Amino acid sequence: MGVKKTLKKIWDKFTSSDRILVTGGLGYIGSHTVVELMEAGYDVYVVDNLSNSNIEVLNGIEAITGKRPVFENIDCTDYVAMDKFFTKYEGFKAVIHFAAYKAVGESVSKPLRYYRNNILSLINVLELMPIHQTEGIVFSSSCTVYGQPDKLPVDEKSPIKDALSPYGYTKQVCERIIMDTVHASEDMNAVILRYFNPIGAHPTASIGELPNGVPNNLVPFVCQTVSGVHKKLSVFGNDYNTPDGTCIRDYINVVDLAKAHVKAIERLFDGKMKKPEIYNIGTGKGASVMEVIKTFEAVSGKRVPYEVVGRREGDIERVWANPALANKKLNWQAETSFEETLLSAWRWQEVVNKRTK
């Protein structure tokens, strides 16, 4: 290596104490987290294979923050490409790992796709971190690790039940891989965030949820149905043991969720962590599918055409969070109302509609 390159690597290492790598950083949650990290003063780098995201998200991030993060189109299951990326931008303080497939229903029909992508991508990141002196990881997990909980609300001590989908099982496996890896390492530590159901969009409507193909999540499907992209919304079952018969979830504003990742990074390096920590990230309140529909209609002034169909394999009946631990230790809490969050999702959809005309 030449003298100039050697000096550059030393300089990069010296000046990159706040350099964060975000895998899957152009996806829905990832892009909102990139914005919050940048606005908090972090030097953010993004890898994403664009399998369920769009390169135009970079423009939205720049419109909000006034800056453009470094981005490379890389699949995290490609160890060689990831190693080259770590080498090229030596000096990451931490990784926030989003890169994964995330649709419960699709995972049931395509389990091997989920096992290979979600687990291998994490293993590659964890193997490369100590090689490149990166000591912290924040992992994007899910409340699906609890299965159908015995008691509600769910706290972090709730038992991990048999997963009801391959997607949920990959999150359970990945959590275990992280715990075992950190246990075997003297330098590495981790914060695992178990999300409940993120919805909504950035208040500027510059970024939001825009999946490639047919949405697997409720709110974007509602928005697209109202926009005429789909004829009807399918409500998967109305015979569950809930007040209106439809499934109940804890719906959290995506910007509130993104801010939890900034708090997790701070926690990783505040000198108080002795072992990996796990936090539920939710509002502490549940809403049914029908409540989502009715509230969306109220805030948007639009009617949602829907029909009730059979239950969907892999769906959990009821789940919502006890976020007290995150409130206390991360100094984080959900702040945005359910109504405001649904309205932000619709405002984002209106922007998308104008772009596609």
Side-chain angles (χ1 to χ4, degrees):
M1 183 180 291
V3 174
K4 287 185 178 180
K5 287 187 176 180
T6 302
L7 291 174
K8 183 180 184 302
K9 288 178 72 70
I10 294 172
W11 175 251
D12 285 348
K13 181 78 173 176
F14 179 74
T15 59
S16 62
S17 60
D18 292 329
R19 180 174 292 180
I20 308 295
L21 170 59
V22 181
T23 68
L26 296 191
Y28 175 43
I29 305 171
S31 60
H32 287 81
T33 299
V34 167
V35 165
E36 295 305 316
L37 287 167
M38 292 174 70
E39 295 200 326
Y42 290 96
D43 185 16
V44 182
Y45 290 65
V46 175
V47 297
D48 196 305
N49 69 358
L50 303 179
S51 64
N52 197 33
S53 57
N54 193 300
I55 192 65
E56 292 182 3
V57 173
L58 282 170
N59 296 331
I61 292 171
E62 186 174 16
I64 297 167
T65 65
K67 295 179 289 184
R68 201 173 184 90
V70 173
F71 165 75
E72 291 198 16
N73 185 340
I74 295 174
D75 190 322
C76 290
T77 63
D78 185 337
Y79 181 92
V80 173
M82 286 295 292
D83 186 30
K84 289 180 179 178
F85 185 88
F86 269 92
T87 301
K88 183 177 180 180
Y89 303 107
E90 198 78 49
F92 290 110
K93 185 174 185 178
V95 177
I96 301 181
H97 185 60
F98 291 106
Y101 297 141
K102 62 177 185 176
V104 169
E106 183 185 56
S107 77
V108 173
S109 61
K110 300 177 181 178
L112 293 180
R113 185 172 188 256
Y114 275 67
Y115 290 135
R116 183 181 186 279
N117 183 74
N118 293 10
I119 295 172
L120 181 57
S121 63
L122 174 67
I123 289 173
N124 284 347
V125 169
L126 290 174
E127 286 188 336
L128 288 165
M129 284 173 59
I131 294 172
H132 297 276
Q133 294 80 50
T134 303
E135 297 179 0
I137 183 169
V138 176
F139 178 65
S140 166
S141 191
S142 167
C143 65
T144 56
V145 301
Y146 297 115
Q148 180 56 63
D150 297 323
K151 296 195 320 184
L152 293 167
V154 178
D155 64 26
E156 290 80 0
K157 294 181 180 179
S158 297
I160 302 301
K161 309 286 282 294
D162 288 343
L164 298 181
S165 68
Y167 165 74
Y169 187 59
T170 65
K171 292 301 183 182
Q172 292 178 348
V173 170
C174 286
E175 285 194 11
R176 181 58 187 266
I177 289 171
I178 290 170
M179 300 297 280
D180 290 344
T181 302
V182 172
H183 179 75
S185 171
E186 293 183 359
D187 301 317
M188 192 182 298
N189 215 335
V191 173
I192 294 170
L193 301 181
R194 291 174 178 164
Y195 311 157
F196 282 66
N197 287 66
I199 61 172
H202 196 272
T204 64
S206 296
I207 55 174
E209 187 168 11
L210 186 62
N212 293 337
V214 178
N216 288 291
N217 295 331
L218 175 60
V219 172
F221 205 105
V222 167
C223 291
Q224 289 189 9
T225 301
V226 170
S227 299
V229 178
H230 312 289
K231 289 184 178 180
K232 291 181 181 179
L233 167 73
S234 293
V235 175
F236 295 104
N238 66 349
D239 57 351
Y240 286 97
N241 183 27
T242 62
D244 62 23
T246 63
C247 292
I248 292 176
R249 298 288 184 270
D250 185 337
Y251 294 98
I252 179 171
N253 180 278
V254 68
V255 176
D256 288 345
L257 174 58
K259 290 177 179 178
H261 294 79
V262 179
K263 294 291 188 181
I265 291 291
E266 293 172 358
R267 178 67 178 169
L268 269 174
F269 298 104
D270 67 4
K272 298 177 182 178
M273 284 183 60
K274 295 182 179 179
K275 58 182 180 180
E277 294 181 349
I278 298 173
Y279 296 97
N280 287 341
I281 306 298
T283 68
K285 300 176 182 178
S288 71
V289 173
M290 288 308 303
E291 285 179 296
V292 171
I293 293 171
K294 297 306 179 186
T295 305
F296 181 89
E297 289 181 333
V299 299
S300 69
K302 305 290 183 179
R303 189 181 71 86
V304 180
Y306 70 89
E307 64 176 343
V308 177
V309 298
R311 292 187 181 190
R312 181 174 58 182
E313 187 177 359
D315 276 344
I316 295 168
E317 181 174 88
R318 299 180 299 153
V319 65
W320 61 88
N322 177 350
L325 189 65
N327 297 163
K328 181 180 178 180
K329 284 199 170 183
L330 293 183
N331 191 29
W332 170 91
Q333 62 182 1
E335 298 175 340
T336 313
S337 72
F338 186 46
E339 292 79 6
E340 186 179 347
T341 299
L342 286 173
L343 184 57
S344 73
W346 176 238
R347 286 172 175 160
W348 163 246
Q349 183 64 47
E350 289 182 309
V351 170
V352 173
N353 293 344
K354 290 177 181 178
R355 289 178 182 172
T356 55
K357 283 184 177 179

